[in-house]
Every structure is written in C-alpha cells, then in structure tokens.
Amino acid sequence: MRTNFDLSAKVDGGFVGSRHAGLVLRQELECALDQHEQVTVNFSGVNATQSFVDEFIGILVLDHGPNVIKRIQFQGCSDSVRSILKLVVGKRARDHLQRHSNTTH
Amino acid sequence: MVSLPETITAGSLPSVLRALEEIRGAEGNIVQCDASRVRFVDQLGLCLLSFAMRECAQWKQELSLNGLPAQIQSYMARMNVYANAGVVQPGQFRRHNQAGNLQEVTSITDQSEIDVTTRNLAHAVVGTLPEFQPDSEPDAMTGRRAGDTAYECISYVISELLNNSVTHAKRGGNQRCRAWVAAQHYASRGKVGISVIDDGCGILRSLQDARPRLAKAGHSEAIEMALKPEVSCNRDLGLRGLDTANQGLGLTIIQGIVRRGGGRLFLGSGDALYISNANGAWFKKIPHWKGTLFYAEIPRATLESLTVTGQLGEYRSADDIDVDIDFV
C-alpha cells in the first residue's frame, strides 16, 4: 500500500533548509515506511537546501541502503530539488556501500 | 578611548577586529569608544557591533559609541542592532518589532530557529527588490513569480550558513555559541549583502574530527579545505546527531552561487580571511576571531538567474552511485 507524505503541509513558507527539520521529517518518513510499502513524498511548492535533503533523504540511504529509494516516489520536485536529490542519493549510496565494505573486511 | 574606523565592513575587517580587541580588553563599567568617524556599516559590521554590545552587557559593561553620527545610529536602530544585543538604545527612539518587514540583525542559538529566521529575512530582503510584486499572478508556464528565484537564492545562502554556525560551530565545548545574521538590499548600489557570524569553535576546529591531519594546519588551510567539495564532510563517524553526518558541500555551493552571480565573498576564521571577487581569490591576515565570519555581496541583477541546479554537476564524484529515482 502507498501513502502520501505531503511536505508542503509540514513546511512553512515554501522553503526548508535546516538539518534540524530534515531530522524531524526523516523520523516521520521512517514511520511511514514502517507502516506502508510505498510512500509518495510531495515536494510541490517546496524548495530546500542540500543540507536539508541530505538529512531528510540522504541519511535514510546511508542507513538503509539505496534500495530504500525504490519504495519512495518523489512528486512535484522543482529542478533544484531534483538536482539536489540526485546528488545526495548518489553520494549516500556510495557511503553506504563503503560503510558495509569496511565492516565486512 | 577605543577609536572605531570610518567603515565597519568586511573590507575593513582587520581594523574593525583590532577595535573589537581593544573593546574586549577595556576595563570599567563603561567602555568608551570614539565613533565620530563612522561613515558606513555593512551587514558584517552590524553583526559585529551587536556581538560587541552583547558581550559587553554580559560583562556588566556598557558600550558607549560617543559621537556616532545620527544617521548611523538611526540605521543601527532600524536594523535592530541594539535590541538584538539586549541593550537599551540611547535616546528617545523606541523601535517596534518589525520582523519580516525590515531586514533586521537576528541572532540565534538553536537549530530549530534556522528555518523561520531564514524565511523572515529572505522575505524582508526580497520584498524590497523592484521586480518583486507580491500580488502578481504566477507565470502560466512556470508557475513562478518574479522574485521567487531571488528568494530561493538568498534563503539558500542564509540557511546553509546558519546550519554551519549553530551545528558544526558548537564543537570543542562551544555548545552555547551564538550566530548573528543580517541581510539587506542596497537599492542605490544594486547589490544584496548577506552576513552570518558566530562565536563558535571556528572552521579549523570544526574540521579536525573528520580530518586529523589538520591538527598541524593553519586557519587559511582549513578555510581552503572547507571551500572544496566533500573535503569537510563527515561521511559517517558512526555517530548520529546533526553535527556528524554532513557532506561538506554547503560552503562550496555558496561560493559557487556568489561567483556565478559576479559577487564577492569574505570568509574569515582564526587569523585568516579569504576574499574572493571577480579579480580572483586570496588570503589576508586578520586579528584572531574565534568563530567564523561570512559576508557576501551579490548584484541584484543576477539574483533572479542564480539557482543551484546549474552547478551541482560539478560536485559529482566518479565513485558516486547512479540510483534510479522515481520522479512524478
């Protein structure tokens, strides 16, 4: 089952930049992923910094691996948010792989 | 008596910091300053003056700016310098809270204050830009209004700097450090100035956990590393918390924004000040500043064209992994 995670309803003023907000929202997203197989994260009307996206989504990938992204659909992303997501996810997928390579040797 | 320079700005930072050193070393209940020569204060200067007033107040001292020209005093009052420092402004003028309407000096200590501070300040700055028309209809094709990109650019810079100042700057026992932020659109000069300063641990100390070899480095080397992509990252220290897992891209992206906008940037920490403008980049020695000082000035004309999208490709590494992302 899929559920919606509407960022615009959780973020004031259409912009979110802090790691603090990223941490809080990631914890909410993790709850949603615990309860639903698929989550649609709606970024419509929301712009964000690389730091926020890294804390919100990047650390999710670092902790759970890139396969977690297969369970998330990103809706309504601006060009900036798309670019930041691609960058952050690519780097954290690498970091996850390196972390697990280090622990198996 | 401490003599303040004519300009309290990023460009005159060495003389400003020398005056601050004298203020901090002054004894007595009233620290007397000759402020009669002051002609101009930029956002960095406003933040430093608010810091100085607050620090004097904490030591039960009053900072007396003797002979401060009336227009400078009025400007400092409008920018909330006195109230932000928790001191009573001299004279009869009492200022009402204008947060969100005026571009005030604001100081924060907690990460939870970053987003609301950023939004208020960015809204206030963008509201003064001539192309911004809050009642205009969004473009039918893009869904965007004039001023949206400028707002996002200013928000991005302020937010990332505050993330650094109230997160990474708290290392080394600096849990109570404070960040000051100010921004303003100078209509006559066609520029937007943004400044964030903090009294935290400084760039060198903030990088040393991730880069042990910096134990023998100087402040200029630390600043250089902080400006390079992923050099200052803590990929995974095995700890969790907002200070441990950054990607080391914040200052890199900000420098890219300022350069692409044709602006100039000042980044200082310890005894080093990094300056970047159209002529290049170089370091200057400054009197020691424990925390971090940042000032950027961007031409207003370029703000509406500055997005992070265009530069992010520069920060991809060969070992990044391509992951299919479902965008709808």
Side-chain angles (χ1 to χ4, degrees):
Chain A
M1 266 191 61
R2 179 178 292 279
T3 190
N4 291 325
F5 191 94
D6 188 358
L7 263 189
S8 63
K10 299 175 186 292
V11 167
D12 290 330
F15 176 86
V16 62
S18 67
R19 282 196 175 268
H20 169 80
L23 173 64
V24 171
L25 290 168
R26 172 163 47 85
Q27 290 169 340
E28 291 184 25
L29 179 59
E30 284 172 333
C31 286
L33 285 167
D34 283 343
Q35 294 166 19
H36 300 88
E37 184 55 34
Q38 300 281 332
V39 178
T40 297
V41 177
N42 189 350
F43 266 95
S44 297
V46 176
N47 269 295
T49 62
Q50 174 269 329
S51 288
F52 167 81
V53 173
D54 184 48
E55 195 62 45
F56 178 43
I57 299 294
I59 303 303
L60 201 67
V61 174
L62 178 67
D63 286 347
H64 301 287
N67 283 341
V68 72
I69 293 296
K70 294 179 183 176
R71 299 175 56 201
I72 304 174
Q73 192 179 62
F74 293 93
Q75 183 180 35
C77 295
S78 66
D79 290 343
S80 288
V81 169
R82 279 191 186 222
S83 302
I84 292 171
L85 273 165
K86 288 177 185 174
L87 183 75
V88 162
V89 169
K91 290 186 181 299
R92 287 308 189 184
R94 170 203 64 191
D95 294 344
H96 174 82
L97 189 65
Q98 288 176 353
R99 175 203 269 182
H100 285 267
S101 296
N102 290 340
T103 56
T104 53
H105 289 95
Chain B
M1 185 179 294
V2 180
S3 181
L4 294 185
E6 279 191 25
T7 58
I8 305 179
T9 65
S12 58
L13 193 57
S15 56
V16 175
L17 291 178
R18 276 193 290 274
L20 272 183
E21 279 184 339
E22 289 185 59
I23 288 170
R24 297 172 99 178
E27 294 180 355
N29 293 337
I30 301 177
V31 179
Q32 301 284 1
C33 292
D34 176 5
S36 61
R37 295 191 303 144
V38 177
R39 293 292 172 260
F40 183 72
V41 182
D42 69 7
Q43 283 63 54
L44 182 64
L46 291 173
C47 291
L48 286 171
L49 284 172
S50 191
F51 162 83
M53 287 182 191
R54 175 179 283 270
E55 195 173 57
C56 283
Q58 285 174 343
W59 288 104
K60 310 291 185 205
Q61 292 176 312
E62 177 189 333
L63 183 64
S64 179
L65 303 178
N66 299 304
L68 184 68
Q71 71 271 23
I72 302 293
Q73 183 173 324
S74 170
Y75 172 62
M76 287 170 55
R78 289 198 310 277
M79 297 298 279
N80 210 34
V81 170
Y82 298 97
N84 182 262
V87 301
V88 176
Q89 186 207 334
Q92 298 301 313
F93 178 79
R94 289 294 178 265
R95 185 178 178 281
H96 299 292
N97 185 354
Q98 298 272 8
N101 293 325
L102 292 182
Q103 305 140 58
E104 310 175 326
V105 174
T106 306
S107 67
I108 67 172
T109 57
D110 193 76
Q111 296 147 0
S112 63
E113 302 173 87
I114 292 173
D115 285 328
V116 63
T117 300
T118 298
R119 284 193 294 267
N120 282 345
L121 197 48
H123 274 303
V125 172
V126 170
T128 68
L129 301 180
E131 54 269 30
F132 177 68
Q133 295 178 22
D135 298 325
S136 63
E137 290 295 317
D139 183 276
M141 290 285 288
T142 65
R144 296 175 66 77
R145 291 185 178 85
D148 280 356
T149 303
Y151 171 76
E152 287 156 14
C153 176
I154 294 167
S155 300
Y156 195 103
V157 172
I158 293 173
S159 180
E160 289 286 45
L161 291 170
L162 287 177
N163 268 315
N164 286 347
S165 286
V166 294
T167 308
H168 310 311
K170 292 196 171 186
R171 296 185 175 195
N174 290 275
Q175 289 300 313
R176 299 177 70 179
C177 81
R178 179 176 288 268
W180 285 259
V181 57
Q184 184 168 354
H185 168 226
Y186 291 103
S188 60
R189 295 166 56 206
K191 295 187 193 294
V192 171
I194 300 170
S195 182
V196 174
I197 74 169
D198 67 67
D199 58 358
C201 69
I203 292 176
L204 179 60
R205 177 61 184 88
S206 73
L207 297 186
Q208 281 173 336
D209 288 341
R211 294 285 183 265
R213 75 174 181 87
L214 281 178
K216 296 181 181 176
H219 294 282
S220 55
E221 185 176 349
I223 291 173
E224 272 189 316
M225 291 186 73
L227 288 166
K228 289 181 180 169
E230 292 195 274
V231 174
S232 64
C233 74
N234 306 326
R235 291 187 181 182
D236 183 15
L237 295 181
L239 302 171
R240 189 51 67 231
L242 293 173
D243 185 32
T244 59
N246 76 87
Q247 286 190 310
L249 292 173
L251 283 174
T252 314
I253 293 174
I254 289 172
Q255 181 177 236
I257 289 172
V258 176
R259 279 187 173 163
R260 283 167 48 241
R264 55 181 191 146
L265 180 153
F266 297 77
L267 178 60
S269 188
D271 62 4
L273 176 67
Y274 172 85
I275 303 171
S276 170
N277 61 24
N279 297 324
W282 63 97
F283 279 95
K284 200 174 188 176
K285 279 281 191 187
I286 55 172
H288 188 86
W289 177 262
K290 176 172 163 287
T292 303
L293 304 160
F294 176 92
Y295 177 76
E297 201 171 75
I298 306 172
R300 176 183 62 76
T302 61
L303 273 174
E304 268 298 277
S305 63
L306 286 177
T307 66
V308 297
T309 310
Q311 62 175 313
L312 289 183
E314 300 171 23
Y315 309 129
R316 282 191 59 82
S317 309
D319 55 355
D320 289 356
I321 295 175
D322 279 326
V323 178
D324 281 335
I325 302 177
D326 185 8
F327 289 114
V328 295

